[in-house]
Amino acid sequence: MTVSLIWHKEIEVVPEKIVMEALWLVGQDTVAEAQNLIPLDTGTLRRSGTVTVGSLPDPGKIYPQAKTKNMRKVYQGQVLSPAKVVYISYNTPYANRLHEDMNWKARGWKTGRRKGKTIRLKKPAVGGPKWIEKSIPRAWQRLPQMITRARRKFESGAMK
């Protein structure tokens, strides 16, 4: 999936390191925005969202870790290749199907236990397909604030 966005002209005068950091921050913001739109309200899919610079992460490494740990900031500060690209990805075997299938519906129930018996409990579906595309425009609007934040980080010496 590729999303085209309008470029901010004021970014052309910002140093490359600051722009890349700001884009990484926008990616993090996109993952945070997407949490409310993911069709499953708990679990590995929600925790598997990552933002990487240069290339996509190895889903074989992300998926097992995401079963117990939020992967959102794992790649902070790492550049996986020299390419000047920021990737937002969800890394479970079923993420692509849930993201792209416009007909998939979350089940309207979950199981629970009452008096020692397994029963079905009503559970409203959350989110739906295309949660990344729906989240990007809101996060992208905050690019100027992210540039300011990255610039402050660079000036304070936290970023080299």
Side-chain angles (χ1 to χ4, degrees):
M1 176 230 21
T2 302
V3 177
S4 297
L5 299 166
I6 297 169
W7 187 252
H8 289 268
K9 278 298 231 185
E10 65 271 12
I11 244 181
E12 293 176 5
V13 297
V14 178
E16 187 179 291
K17 279 186 172 185
I18 293 174
V19 170
M20 292 309 293
E21 177 70 12
L23 291 175
W24 185 85
L25 289 167
V26 168
Q28 289 296 329
D29 203 32
T30 302
V31 171
E33 287 278 341
Q35 293 303 311
N36 297 324
L37 302 174
I38 294 174
L40 305 173
D41 67 347
T42 60
T44 307
L45 177 62
R46 290 173 68 93
R47 289 188 298 270
S48 75
T50 59
V51 179
T52 53
V53 176
S55 68
L56 288 166
D58 178 4
K61 291 180 182 176
I62 300 287
Y63 179 57
Q65 292 178 37
K67 290 180 180 179
T68 57
K69 177 182 173 186
N70 191 331
M71 302 305 293
R72 196 167 139 217
K73 293 201 177 188
V74 168
Y75 289 90
Q76 185 169 3
Q78 293 184 34
V79 177
L80 302 180
S81 86
K84 304 295 184 220
V85 181
V86 175
Y87 291 94
I88 301 164
S89 60
Y90 283 80
N91 302 282
T92 64
Y94 47 88
N96 188 48
R97 184 179 138 239
L98 295 182
H99 190 269
E100 300 301 322
D101 187 353
M102 299 302 284
N103 297 319
W104 185 86
K105 301 275 188 251
R107 69 178 186 225
W109 53 270
K110 66 179 179 178
T111 57
R113 304 237 350 129
R114 287 229 175 100
K115 297 181 183 178
K117 294 182 181 180
T118 301
I119 61 168
R120 284 185 173 189
L121 305 169
K122 286 188 177 182
K123 174 184 171 187
V126 297
K130 305 290 184 182
W131 64 86
I132 299 172
E133 282 101 326
K134 291 174 183 175
S135 302
I136 288 175
R138 289 190 70 192
W140 187 254
Q141 288 175 346
R142 292 189 277 275
L143 180 63
Q145 290 111 331
M146 298 306 179
I147 290 171
T148 302
R149 201 167 138 195
R151 186 173 275 143
R152 272 192 236 125
K153 197 172 177 183
F154 186 74
E155 289 167 356
S156 72
M159 215 171 90
K160 296 178 183 179

